[in-house]
Amino acid sequence: MRSISIFGATGSIGESTFDLIRRSGGAEAYRTVALTGARNVRRLAEMARELRAEVAVTAHEAELPGLREALVGSGVEAAAGAAAIAEAADRPADWVMSGIVGAAGLVPGMRALRHGGMLALANKESLVTAGQLLLATAQAHGATILPVDSEHSAVFQALTGEDGGAVERVIITASGGPFREWPLERLAAATVAEAKAHPNWSMGNRISIDSASMFNKALELIETREFFGFDPAMIEVLVHPQSIVHALVGFRDGGIMAHLGPADMRHAIGFALHWPERGHLPVERLDLARLGSLTFEAPDDRRFPALRLAREVMALRGLSGAAFNAAKEIALDHFMAGEIGFLDMAAVVEDTLDAVSAETALTMPAASLEEVLAMDHLARIRAAEQARKRIEGR
Ligand code: NDP
Ligand code: MG
């Protein structure tokens, strides 16, 4: 029986993963090792009972009594805290979903790779903050990383059977988010509720807002560079409001392979779950005649400066991805708290990169996970200072 673990089980990616596991036989077909969550311990316990998990872990110590109570009589162990999540990743499983949001997903993913199984990677922050370390760890332990971000799964699929050397360009698409047509002046006053309303995808709140600001696409540019190793100049972003084409790979003969699918993460998750085979998946089948037309437009770096910042990070590499992601997470916290404006997020990230690079060399390749975490920590402090300046200046 194949063993699985889901990190971030209670999130949007986690729920979709759970749905696919349940539809393909649940506890009868898979042995579940660990399920993790954070605040939503009732749901975590429900999932752990159904899949008969060995252990359920919440990220927050304060939630442990609630988790224990919800698991009484189930035989599922309960644990709490970041260290307990990392320990859960030390329990071997054949297939692990990395679906925690933010830099908190890095350590468990890294630890899971040490068993040499498959890591289905939704947590793009892992690649952005520590791409080279992550790939080196996978290689050292004979583990396989399968991209779950829809664009990266699409690139992976378009590359299957192809010679990587014949690739000329890689294009990842972006819906453009809810503010695709908004003028700059209006963007400054955008609210959290407006930013959360993604036109096509149903996702967690944080990634939805990152989609509106294009920070999600910025992370994905860096993710493409780190995961596939293509030169930054070969990687493009194309705005495609219908979110049907997820990525395109262009070859030196001028041909392009495009990946199309419905905006349902169960496609990319299911692809990773059944890889190298193709399983039957419960996603909607596209009716292209009914869709009629697919449209494309160039992204606007002026209204969405996150893309320009990502280009800088792709050129710098080293520890700059860790600084960029940490600054973005802090800026997002302050925007979600209503303390800074929508456009202030990019300004905070840019100022943080400047402040951090004045103190330490961002281009230095990370020699260890500790160095990445130290950069993450420093950038969070500097970003909080930059955000404070903006709050006081309002
Ligand atoms: P959600 O916010 O929906 O879920 C996040 C999960 O992580 C939840 O299980 C949450 O627990 C848990 N969590 C939150 N904070 C912590 C923490 N500090 N430590 C450990 N666990 C924590 O996020 P998504 O599912 O939307 O995204 C997950 C990852 O997948 C992100 O990296 C995102 O960029 C990526 N991704 C998501 C896509 C999507 O469609 N949603 C598409 C492509 C990539 P709880 O809910 O119990 O508090
Ligand atoms: Mg994506």
Side-chain angles (χ1 to χ4, degrees), residues 124 149-151 216 220:
K124 61 192 82 186
D149 213 344
S150 56
E151 298 76 4
N216 181 48
E220 290 181 0

Side-chain angles (χ1 to χ4, degrees), residues 8-14 36-41 59-60 85 98-102 104 122-125 148-150 201-205 207 216 220 265:
T10 48
S12 163
I13 290 287
T36 82
R39 300 259 172 245
N40 198 351
V41 290
H60 306 301
I85 290 186
S98 168
I100 289 175
V101 63
N123 180 265
K124 61 192 82 186
E125 296 88 346
V148 168
D149 213 344
S150 56
W201 294 92
S202 148
M203 308 183 285
N205 284 338
I207 183 174
N216 181 48
E220 290 181 0
M265 284 309 294

Side-chain angles (χ1 to χ4, degrees), residues 156-178:
F156 186 89
Q157 294 182 49
L159 284 172
T160 301
E162 300 286 354
D163 165 15
V167 174
E168 212 170 51
R169 56 205 286 230
V170 173
I171 305 167
I172 58 172
T173 61
S175 69

